[in-house]
Amino acid sequence: MRRNITETANGWIADNGNGTYTNPIMWGDYPDNDVIRVGDTYYMSSTSMHLFPSTPIMSSKDLVNWEYESYAVDRMEGDQYDLINGEVYDEGTWATSLRYHNGKFYLMFNINKDAAYVSIADQAKGPWTLYKLEDELYDPGLFFDDDGKVYVVHGQGELYLSELEIVDEETGRLSIRSKREPGSTKNGKKIYSYPCPGHRYHGYNEGSHVYKINGFYYILTTPIWKHGSKKEVAIRTKDLAHGPYEAQDIMASFMNFWGNGIHQGGIVDVPQEDGSLEWWAIIFQDRSKIGRVPTLQPVTWKNGWPYMGEVDGEKAVVTYRKPNIPNLGHVEPKALPTSDDFNANVLGLQWQWNHNPDNSKWSLEERPGFIRLKTSSVTDNLTYARNTLTQRVVGPDCAGIVELDVSHMADGDTAGLCIMQREFTFIGIKNEAGHKSIVINDNRTEHVSVDVSSDIQNVWFRAEIPRHEYRMEFSYSVDGIHFTRLGGRYEMRYGTYVGMRFGIFNYASMKLGGYVDANSFELTTTENQGNLFGINKRIDAARYDDQKFVSDKELQINPKTEWIYADPNREYDLSISNLKDGDWLQYDQVDFGAGDAAWFNARVASSFTGGTIEVRIDHMGGDLISTLSIPNTGDINQYVNVKSDLAKKVTGKQKLFLVFHGASQNMCKLNWFMFGSGEFPQIPPIPEKLTVVRNNKSIVNMNWDDSPGALQYDIMFDDKVISNVTSEFTQTGLEPHSSHTVKVRAGNFAGYSEWSDEVKLL
């Protein structure tokens, strides 16, 4: 059965459709951004590391809605890029620099312990021609000066200036003119080191981008910040080679993901009808295992410095007005492509291969409407399997489904769907001596196996990433409709720089010759357009559009986003902390519909008595629709669900403000809130008849009777809380003969039951 994926496919859309956008503009791994304008079109580049084709080039008319143009690097030569005698995970193409000069696009990057490269094209769609330069230029910032000279600012720890020249006017090919100074480990002249006391380099800069504006040269670069994170600074001078140089913080903000500073990006101008310029920055924020996501920040020039965001660079915007693009007209909000029915005769640009592909071992033409993946390597380790076809995991949550025809697998073949960076977890089908089984493999450890018919033809695999979690679950189907969950919930295994990826794979453990045909890949998310919220569904507090802000570069005063528990084994969920009297959080689009909402509900924690949350619409002093009393929960980290009635009927989309009153500091934490219709639910009863059975030495199955009114269940397995589970639930990967304790609780919008009696497994 072929699924109609066009009706259900979606992804993150930053454009709110009302003249505003919500960061990140792409909720996926698009790091090391550079941005330029050519005429009325904006172009952005990004880094790909070990993924090929590499370094995506994207275009936009409004800086918010983007589409793929091409990749500047088709492949790199060398065994390690082919997963032969080595690998280049987290290496490969680093920190791209995108420029346009004399009718040509230039894309420069560096490969560590190799050299800098530049790829050149006459148009963004390519074709691109790749040239290797004579030396390394770490994190290069390519710059064409108005006197005809060509420079690169580069380096980590200390910044160097190298001079290049165009050696072929027809192709635009560049060559490095400068040499290394005596005793230097870097090409060119050392020009600047941003002080960083205690760091092993003593100074630290990377990710340079160079501009000449109003007679000044500006080097935008990224140093280490006090919090162990990074920020963005501008280094200004009128003489690029000799200085003097002065530096200023231009972005020092964690936005709504505390602890990860926004850094490493470029700025671009937006011409206005009156001849003036708006300026904007595209610059990323590290969101751990999801990857590094680009944000769009307004740029305000003040005293000759390009401050990003607001409050002189201390406040990154979350939701903000779109850039004013004269005579643009309507731009339809859209997501980047994700799902694919493989009907085209070329591979969609959302796809990249894990390392160089073996192009003789895949085809879109041998069976039209499918992508055929022939085995291309003999291995027992997916990390080293060639021709794994990947695309980004998308936030804030997503699921991917692939349909495979597995009727032509050879003996020893394994094929399926993974989530990987370097290490991996997958659900797949294994063919051994004519016997087929569905398996979960967690980084080379097989956790669970289910036999299926040896003549099975089609199988569907699903991988899910729950909201805001860095975990994954898997299921399979033999009809494309009814899915069976398999295995437990697995931790994402993150590398260093590349966010997690879905991967469709097929590899041989014995000999080559088998193949599978992928009919479709479908990616879905539970929400796909900015911070648009409705009733009868929780709204994550961390998804605010704006907040009360007090200027403070140490970020100790403002409300901040944090994990509700420092221990990831407790719960993966975000909250707003540091709340105090007079603080407020703003949510621009809460859709109350026809006015059915009757109550307001919030999950809060506090060690104070007497605090309240006022719920107001339109503005901070707007209509008061509810007041929630915050109980003293006994501990600032002990959360409870609290409810208050709505004082009036509210309809349609509203701008909502939560205004906090009470203690002068650390009065409470807010995990989530919601507006509900009908009767407020009762806390469900404790789940009964918890049964825990060891299936084999390493697998435990748990099930229990449903609790009336429960919307979710949590398991405490030993000291680890596994949230949002269903009965039956499987825990895998246990040590043989190990002992464990298990208990379960039920929850809904009213709160959680007590934990059930503990069951011991010996």
Side-chain angles (χ1 to χ4, degrees):
M1 185 194 76
R2 190 172 183 85
R3 298 170 65 90
N4 183 354
I5 66 171
T6 58
E7 295 179 0
T8 57
N10 56 61
W12 176 253
I13 299 175
D15 192 332
N16 294 314
N18 62 357
T20 70
Y21 68 94
T22 296
N23 279 316
I25 53 172
M26 303 167 194
W27 204 326
D29 187 50
Y30 297 87
D32 301 338
N33 314 113
D34 205 357
V35 59
I36 61 173
R37 178 179 61 84
V38 180
D40 64 354
T41 304
Y42 298 89
Y43 296 95
M44 177 170 60
S45 64
S46 180
T47 293
S48 292
M49 305 294 182
H50 57 268
L51 303 162
F52 291 92
S54 184
T55 60
I57 307 297
M58 314 178 79
S59 68
S60 174
K61 293 293 187 180
D62 64 357
L63 288 169
V64 174
N65 296 282
W66 293 84
E67 61 185 34
Y68 293 108
E69 289 283 341
S70 64
Y71 289 91
V73 181
D74 183 54
R75 64 190 296 116
M76 296 297 299
E77 297 304 319
D79 283 355
Q80 69 273 31
Y81 295 102
D82 295 335
L83 284 174
I84 299 172
N85 299 321
E87 39 82 6
V88 291
Y89 285 103
D90 284 325
E91 296 292 342
T93 62
W94 276 32
T96 59
S97 179
L98 180 65
R99 289 295 179 264
Y100 184 78
H101 178 70
N102 284 349
K104 296 184 183 298
F105 289 88
Y106 289 79
L107 189 286
M108 182 174 282
F109 61 91
N110 191 69
I111 291 185
N112 292 336
K113 300 178 182 178
D114 180 12
Y117 290 77
V118 61
S119 198
I120 304 173
D122 293 328
Q123 56 183 349
K125 288 188 180 299
W128 294 81
T129 302
L130 183 65
Y131 301 97
K132 183 176 182 178
L133 298 178
E134 297 87 348
D135 205 346
E136 285 193 71
L137 302 170
Y138 183 94
D139 279 15
L142 178 62
F143 174 65
F144 294 91
D145 208 343
D146 49 22
D147 62 1
K149 292 188 175 181
V150 186
Y151 298 102
V152 173
V153 175
H154 59 98
Q156 181 188 45
E158 297 169 327
L159 295 184
Y160 288 76
L161 180 69
S162 294
E163 186 175 353
L164 282 64
E165 60 181 339
I166 297 175
V167 294
D168 187 326
E169 292 290 342
E170 183 177 351
T171 64
R173 183 171 184 171
L174 296 171
S175 177
I176 302 176
R177 293 187 60 185
S178 54
K179 306 299 181 184
R180 299 190 183 195
E181 293 182 340
S184 176
T185 60
K186 301 290 189 296
N187 185 284
K189 176 186 178 183
K190 182 167 64 175
I191 60 172
Y192 189 80
S193 180
Y194 188 90
C196 187
H199 193 273
R200 67 182 184 275
Y201 298 136
H202 305 295
Y204 190 92
N205 292 97
E206 64 179 5
S208 297
H209 299 277
V210 187
Y211 307 87
K212 190 174 185 179
I213 303 168
N214 296 330
F216 280 97
Y217 295 93
Y218 292 88
I219 306 170
L220 272 56
T221 183
T222 297
I224 293 291
W225 197 5
K226 291 181 180 178
H227 299 273
S229 180
K230 295 180 180 179
K231 61 181 176 180
E232 191 75 1
V233 302
I235 301 165
R236 184 175 72 177
T237 181
K238 289 197 171 184
D239 187 334
L240 187 59
H242 303 99
Y245 310 92
E246 51 183 336
Q248 181 67 43
D249 290 358
I250 59 172
M251 171 56 70
S253 173
F254 291 149
M255 203 168 73
N256 58 353
F257 199 84
W258 200 88
N260 292 72
I262 296 175
H263 65 281
Q264 201 161 326
I267 59 174
V268 69
D269 63 355
V270 178
Q272 303 296 291
E273 287 185 304
D274 63 2
S276 63
L277 297 173
E278 280 188 4
W279 285 84
W280 293 81
I282 293 183
I283 186 166
F284 75 74
Q285 182 179 42
D286 194 328
R287 300 218 170 174
S288 190
K289 299 177 185 180
I290 294 296
R292 296 174 289 175
V293 301
T295 80
L296 177 64
Q297 300 293 331
V299 174
T300 302
W301 287 89
K302 181 177 178 181
N303 299 325
W305 295 103
Y307 293 103
M308 299 178 181
E310 298 179 316
V311 198
D312 294 348
E314 294 182 42
K315 180 185 178 185
V317 302
V318 180
T319 295
Y320 199 73
R321 70 165 180 86
K322 292 178 63 177
N324 181 45
I325 314 287
N327 306 311
L328 177 60
H330 177 69
V331 176
E332 187 68 23
K334 61 182 178 181
L336 286 163
T338 53
S339 302
D340 201 339
D341 57 14
F342 301 116
N343 279 327
N345 59 4
V346 294
L347 197 58
L349 292 177
Q350 67 268 38
W351 294 106
Q352 292 173 282
W353 300 94
N354 179 23
H355 292 63
N356 286 334
D358 178 349
N359 289 322
S360 68
K361 298 296 185 179
W362 69 275
S363 174
L364 288 162
E365 298 176 347
E366 291 185 21
R367 185 181 180 186
F370 295 75
I371 183 169
R372 176 160 292 175
L373 297 178
K374 304 175 184 180
T375 53
S376 181
S377 54
V378 177
T379 181
D380 62 354
N381 185 349
L382 180 60
T383 296
Y384 295 98
R386 296 195 68 181
N387 282 19
T388 297
L389 183 62
T390 78
Q391 68 166 275
R392 295 164 183 83
V393 166
V394 174
D397 60 40
C398 64
I401 299 176
V402 66
E403 178 190 352
L404 294 179
D405 180 340
V406 297
S407 57
H408 297 279
M409 296 177 70
D411 190 16
D413 289 0
T414 303
L417 179 65
C418 68
I419 294 178
M420 74 176 301
Q421 204 266 23
R422 185 184 191 280
E423 298 182 339
F424 58 86
T425 309
F426 71 69
I427 184 169
I429 186 165
K430 185 167 63 172
N431 185 38
E432 291 182 318
H435 170 79
K436 287 190 172 74
S437 58
I438 308 292
V439 299
I440 298 286
N441 187 302
D442 188 29
N443 202 39
R444 301 187 70 187
T445 299
E446 189 172 300
H447 282 259
V448 61
S449 176
V450 175
D451 292 340
V452 292
S453 171
S454 60
D455 60 359
I456 187 172
Q457 179 170 345
N458 296 318
V459 62
W460 289 256
F461 295 120
R462 180 169 64 197
E464 300 177 72
I465 296 90
R467 178 187 42 79
H468 288 313
E469 293 203 10
Y470 293 148
R471 296 169 177 165
M472 47 199 164
E473 298 180 356
F474 299 91
S475 53
Y476 71 95
S477 173
V478 294
D479 61 9
I481 300 172
H482 305 95
F483 281 81
T484 300
R485 191 176 176 281
L486 192 65
R489 183 172 298 175
Y490 301 91
E491 302 292 329
M492 288 182 177
R493 286 187 163 87
Y494 182 51
T496 305
Y497 300 116
V498 178
M500 303 300 294
R501 313 274 297 191
F502 289 108
I504 307 171
F505 67 89
N506 180 32
Y507 66 85
S509 64
M510 296 176 62
K511 62 180 180 179
L512 304 183
Y515 65 86
V516 296
D517 292 330
N519 192 352
S520 64
F521 175 82
E522 178 185 3
L523 187 146
T524 59
T525 64
T526 60
E527 50 185 284
N528 68 339
Q529 189 158 7
N531 287 351
L532 174 61
F533 306 110
I535 66 171
N536 292 318
K537 187 176 180 181
R538 55 176 280 182
I539 300 171
D540 297 299
R543 296 281 297 280
Y544 61 77
D545 293 290
D546 201 0
Q547 60 159 276
K548 182 180 180 180
F549 192 89
V550 179
S551 180
D552 168 33
K553 285 192 177 181
E554 298 303 314
L555 293 177
Q556 298 303 307
I557 296 176
N558 298 288
K560 63 186 182 185
T561 304
E562 67 178 22
W563 298 106
I564 62 173
Y565 291 105
D567 179 3
N569 287 328
R570 296 290 294 170
E571 292 182 48
Y572 275 172
D573 209 352
L574 295 169
S575 70
I576 300 293
S577 67
N578 239 31
L579 290 161
K580 60 187 184 303
D581 185 62
D583 281 343
W584 51 265
L585 300 171
Q586 175 182 328
Y587 304 84
D588 285 349
Q589 295 192 91
V590 179
D591 191 349
F592 288 87
D596 295 330
W599 41 268
F600 171 74
N601 184 27
R603 190 173 188 230
V604 295
S606 178
S607 57
F608 293 96
T609 301
T612 62
I613 303 175
E614 292 181 349
V615 185
R616 297 182 178 272
I617 56 175
D618 193 41
H619 56 86
M620 253 198 66
D623 285 352
L624 179 65
I625 64 171
S626 190
T627 301
L628 184 141
S629 296
I630 302 171
N632 185 337
T633 63
D635 189 313
I636 193 64
N637 294 307
Q638 181 63 47
Y639 289 84
V640 298
N641 295 25
V642 188
K643 168 248 184 186
S644 61
D645 293 326
L646 263 59
K648 58 173 61 180
K649 182 176 181 178
V650 184
T651 60
K653 289 183 182 178
Q654 300 288 343
K655 182 177 292 186
L656 185 82
F657 287 79
L658 303 183
V659 186
F660 297 83
H661 296 290
S664 60
Q665 59 181 347
N666 294 322
M667 65 166 286
C668 73
K669 294 182 179 182
L670 176 64
N671 177 204
W672 56 260
F673 65 92
M674 65 172 291
F675 297 91
S677 61
E679 294 293 325
F680 189 70
Q682 298 293 315
I683 293 176
I686 299 171
E688 296 182 345
K689 298 181 181 178
L690 172 62
T691 303
V692 182
V693 178
R694 190 187 293 268
N695 260 11
N696 60 32
K697 294 179 180 179
S698 63
I699 299 174
V700 169
N701 287 333
M702 295 157 271
N703 57 63
W704 53 89
D705 287 352
D706 289 340
S707 295
L711 296 177
Q712 73 170 74
Y713 297 93
D714 296 342
I715 288 172
M716 183 176 288
F717 193 89
D718 297 333
D719 294 325
K720 178 178 180 179
V721 174
I722 308 171
S723 58
N724 291 304
V725 300
T726 56
S727 176
E728 152 179 350
F729 187 82
T730 302
Q731 184 73 2
T732 61
L734 305 177
E735 292 293 326
H737 311 299
S738 55
S739 60
H740 303 279
T741 59
V742 182
K743 48 189 176 182
V744 63
R745 68 179 181 183
N748 59 21
F749 296 137
Y752 293 93
S753 71
E754 297 295 324
W755 290 101
S756 68
D757 291 337
E758 189 174 83
V759 175
K760 293 185 178 181
L761 182 69
L762 301 177

